[in-house]
Amino acid sequence: MKYIDEFRDGQLARHIAASIVAEASPARGYALMEFCGGHTHAISRYGIEDLLPANVRMIHGPGCPVCVLPIGRVDNAISIAQQPGVILCTYGDLLRVPGSKRLSLLKAKAAGADVRMVYSAGDSLTIARDNPDRQVVFFAIGFETTTPPTALVIKQARALGLTNFSVFCNHVLTPAAITNILESPEVRELGTVPLDGFIGPAHVSTVIGSQPYEYFAEEYQKPVVIAGFEPLDVLQAILMLVRQLNEGRFEVENEFSRAVTRDGNRKAQAVVAEVFELRRVFEWRGLGMVPYSALCIKEAFADWDAERRFAVETVSVPDIKACECGTILRGLKKPVDCRLFGTVCTPESPMGSCMVSAEGACAAYWTYGRFRQSSQTPTKASS
């Protein structure tokens, strides 16, 4: 297929991989975090780690919006869905994420709640127009990529005077998560997560641009290369990071120049700024309470805010003790280091969100066969 096949060329992939092997100094290690779950899946799907030398290691980051959603927010959504006269709409990945007592939206639906999967925020608005006698709630999640569509449907609802529509907002922000990782004891003090550079997210960067990452490169001396999701994109980004580290450079480079600019999408940024504002603090699975890391709906659009409409209370619920989702999201472990992986926890019966989401690290390992490593001695990210 034109514009896809050329980014999956096996011969060119082997050539880039050979360049990485030749240029990676045996005298040092290269610990690179792919922040985005889409990159994690590309790395597993195309066997990219198998092409890298032993001293170039990939660390999985928290760039999966379903994975980082804390159990308390899942419980909030289930509680809203269980109220009489409510239709709760959300994306398919969220339906099977276990809340407390392993209750999920899918199980709530089976018990009688009206929970519907939608493909876009606009679908939920259509459902609200078609059901004027019901309260329709859109359970919104995602990083900066999915935030502008949510902002648009809120503006549309106000323009149409749809009083039966509201949004349960759980949009989170990439730069705040990167800061949290870089300031974490594991990275900054203990060194249990060696981190030399980042592969920057693709879709997020089309919205926010490459400029926000310049702070991390300069302040923390960590190079960032924004990359697309195809295997050649990822391999080229790794090569670019190796070269920066070899040369002692700490810059933001844009491998995904066919879609990402320095300034990003100004129109999308403007509509987000019109509808949303920063939360003072928001809980992330694995990262804990992260200041100024999420968005909430502005007072001007309060009538379409489900948190206000249903008086949602923020409740922190601990993860299942044996589930390693939190440590995987922080880069401390890999899926095969979790004793539940591939045994008690499978896609059919997930114990944590990392096995549920299409961008989750556990789902990537399971789907693309890397779970076979579970029969070997687990290797922690810090080893």
Side-chain angles (χ1 to χ4, degrees):
M1 183 184 296
K2 188 171 175 60
Y3 306 124
I4 293 293
D5 288 347
E6 55 263 48
F7 292 101
R8 299 177 182 177
D9 185 292
Q11 184 175 351
L12 187 52
R14 287 187 288 271
H15 174 74
I16 300 174
S19 296
I20 295 171
V21 172
E23 298 187 35
S25 171
R28 62 159 300 166
Y30 303 81
L32 311 176
M33 175 176 280
E34 83 277 3
F35 180 88
C36 181
H39 287 136
T40 301
H41 274 251
I43 289 167
S44 291
R45 177 181 180 184
Y46 297 105
I48 288 174
E49 284 184 298
D50 298 332
L51 300 174
L52 302 178
N55 60 332
V56 177
R57 296 190 297 107
M58 304 308 300
I59 300 170
H60 311 317
C64 164
V66 173
C67 301
V68 300
L69 192 69
I71 289 178
R73 301 293 284 189
V74 178
D75 285 351
N76 290 150
I78 293 171
S79 177
I80 292 172
Q82 290 173 330
Q83 296 197 32
V86 168
I87 300 173
L88 188 131
C89 303
T90 195
Y91 302 123
D93 279 6
L94 278 169
L95 296 181
R96 296 190 302 114
V97 176
S100 60
K101 301 178 182 178
R102 298 203 64 197
L103 180 62
S104 65
L105 284 168
L106 194 61
K107 290 180 179 179
K109 177 180 176 67
D114 194 342
V115 178
R116 305 187 189 184
M117 184 188 79
V118 294
Y119 292 100
S120 70
D123 289 347
S124 62
L125 198 68
T126 300
I127 291 172
R129 295 179 69 177
D130 293 342
N131 295 271
D133 58 334
R134 305 278 298 279
Q135 283 294 327
V136 176
V137 179
F138 177 54
F139 184 11
I141 70 156
F143 288 94
E144 290 89 344
T145 314
T146 57
T147 307
T150 303
L152 285 173
V153 296
I154 292 173
K155 289 187 64 177
Q156 279 186 282
R158 184 171 72 170
L160 294 169
L162 284 180
T163 58
N164 68 320
F165 177 79
S166 59
V167 170
F168 180 40
C169 179
N170 295 272
H171 286 297
V172 290
L173 304 173
T174 302
I178 295 177
T179 300
N180 182 273
I181 291 167
L182 291 170
E183 290 288 348
S184 68
E186 295 94 345
V187 173
R188 199 169 178 87
E189 299 167 17
L190 304 177
T192 48
V193 179
L195 185 56
D196 298 311
F198 287 95
I199 295 181
H203 293 155
V204 164
S205 301
T206 63
V207 176
I208 68 173
S210 63
Q211 185 177 8
Y213 308 108
E214 293 172 4
Y215 169 77
F216 306 113
E218 181 178 349
E219 179 70 19
Y220 295 96
Q221 301 285 278
K222 306 291 184 185
V224 179
V225 175
I226 298 164
F229 290 121
E230 295 302 325
L232 296 191
D233 288 320
V234 178
L235 282 168
Q236 182 65 24
I238 293 170
L239 178 59
M240 292 166 72
L241 285 169
V242 167
R243 286 175 175 169
Q244 279 207 54
L245 292 166
N246 286 346
E247 296 167 10
R249 292 186 293 115
F250 308 101
E251 302 171 2
V252 176
E253 294 183 317
N254 182 12
E255 184 278 336
F256 198 35
S257 58
R258 62 188 186 273
V260 173
T261 64
R262 185 172 184 270
D263 294 331
N265 187 326
R266 291 290 181 84
K267 289 184 178 180
Q269 294 167 20
V271 72
V272 168
E274 180 183 355
V275 176
F276 295 110
E277 62 188 5
L278 284 171
R279 294 180 188 265
R280 291 184 61 84
V281 68
F282 191 78
E283 183 182 2
W284 293 53
R285 189 190 297 257
L287 304 186
M289 293 295 184
V290 182
Y292 303 107
S293 64
L295 300 173
C296 61
I297 298 171
K298 283 184 172 180
E299 183 67 33
F301 296 90
D303 290 344
W304 293 272
D305 185 351
E307 287 192 65
R308 290 180 170 98
R309 179 169 294 182
F310 295 94
V312 173
E313 295 184 8
T314 300
V315 179
S316 183
V317 180
D319 288 341
I320 297 170
K321 288 185 178 180
C323 177
E324 298 285 4
C325 269
T327 50
I328 291 168
L329 290 166
R330 294 201 306 275
L332 278 165
K333 293 184 178 182
K334 291 194 174 185
V336 293
D337 297 325
C338 179
R339 61 181 178 173
L340 302 184
F341 179 81
T343 55
V344 175
C345 183
T346 66
E348 290 74 28
S349 180
M351 298 296 290
S353 56
C354 294
M355 184 62 88
V356 176
S357 172
E359 295 186 359
C362 294
Y365 273 57
W366 178 274
T367 302
Y368 300 113
R370 305 193 72 83
F371 65 88
R372 296 189 184 95
Q373 297 176 19
S374 61
S375 62
Q376 304 170 3
T377 302
T379 302
K380 294 186 179 181
S382 58
S383 61

